């Protein structure tokens, strides 16, 4: 898929061009991949590709990640009519991402869930209760743990898909884990709310 190749190209560019990374205020030696939903798919796939290319990734943060093309998990059925993202809408997004499902069937490029998870960067996998992707996120976190990848799993009970946009109060633990992994203090809620 084009989005996968775009994400991989950006990661490779900054990993191999430290000056370009500095221009945008980044450190090419401390790459973190992160994303929510389809972005979580891209982050997971990029982390797998980085490992295969020998590019060191410091951390991967996968928020309510969309990792599998199949819609056969309990959370797809349970949350078929979930606010914000229904199972029907999820299928529509997949159809737009990969118009020909046969191209995706056995590909870890569009389904990171199918990829090799050995020797990946430490991970945070964050799921929401009312989300069709909940079970695949949990299952992916379990696969990472079984492969001895340092993995934190957070199940945000009582939250919905879109938690990072609409329910930021659920995220303080997640940002603490990311900050600890990077050795920095993360204070994303420092803004005054009106």
């Amino acid at each position: 898929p084009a989005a996968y190749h775009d994400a991989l190209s950006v990661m490779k560019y900054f990993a191999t061009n430290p000056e370009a990374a500095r221009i945008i205020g980044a450190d090419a030696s401390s790459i973190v991949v992160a994303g929510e939903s389809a972005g979580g798919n891209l982050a997971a796939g990029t982390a797998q590709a980085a490992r295969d290319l020998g590019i060191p990734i410091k951390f991967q943060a996968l928020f309510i990640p969309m990792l599998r093309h199949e819609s056969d998990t309990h959370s797809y059925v349970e949350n078929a009519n979930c606010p914000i993202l229904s199972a029907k809408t999820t299928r529509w997004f997949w159809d737009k991402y990969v118009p020909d499902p046969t191209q995706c069937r056995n590909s870890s490029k569009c389904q990171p869930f199918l990829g090799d998870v050995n020797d990946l960067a430490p991970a945070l996998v964050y799921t929401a209760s009312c989300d069709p992707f909940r079970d695949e996120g949990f299952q992916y976190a379990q696969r990472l743990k079984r492969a001895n990848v340092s993995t934190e799993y957070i199940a945000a009970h009582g939250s919905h898909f879109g938690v990072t946009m609409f329910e930021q109060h659920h995220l303080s633990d997640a940002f603490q884990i990311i900050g600890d992994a990077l050795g920095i203090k993360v204070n994303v809620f420092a803004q005054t709310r009106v």
Side-chain angles (χ1 to χ4, degrees), residues 76-99:
Y76 265 96
V77 175
E78 179 185 30
N79 298 304
N81 297 308
C82 192
I84 304 171
L85 183 70
S86 68
K88 181 179 178 181
T89 305
T90 298
R91 299 301 332 145
W92 184 86
F93 283 125
W94 267 113
D95 292 344
K96 299 305 171 208
Y97 183 52
V98 184

Side-chain angles (χ1 to χ4, degrees), residues 44-85:
T46 300
Q48 292 174 15
R51 180 223 30 229
D52 296 344
L53 294 168
I55 297 171
I57 296 291
K58 187 109 176 176
F59 195 77
Q60 54 179 322
L62 312 176
F63 293 93
I64 53 174
M66 177 180 85
L67 300 165
R68 300 175 65 231
H69 186 264
E70 302 306 317
S71 54
D72 58 358
T73 63
H74 177 72
S75 61
Y76 265 96
V77 175
E78 179 185 30
N79 298 304
N81 297 308
C82 192
I84 304 171
L85 183 70

Side-chain angles (χ1 to χ4, degrees), residues 17 22 25-26 37 40 44 50 61 80 82 87 99 135 145 172-173 182:
N17 292 285
R22 271 193 294 282
S37 186
C82 192
D135 292 349
K145 288 179 181 181
S172 58
D173 290 343
L182 301 176

Side-chain angles (χ1 to χ4, degrees), residues 149-171:
V149 173
S150 176
T151 303
E152 294 283 343
Y153 173 72
I154 296 177
H157 299 290
S159 64
H160 295 267
F161 175 88
V163 67
T164 60
M165 294 181 287
F166 305 114
E167 301 177 35
Q168 293 182 349
H169 61 280
H170 283 288
L171 296 175

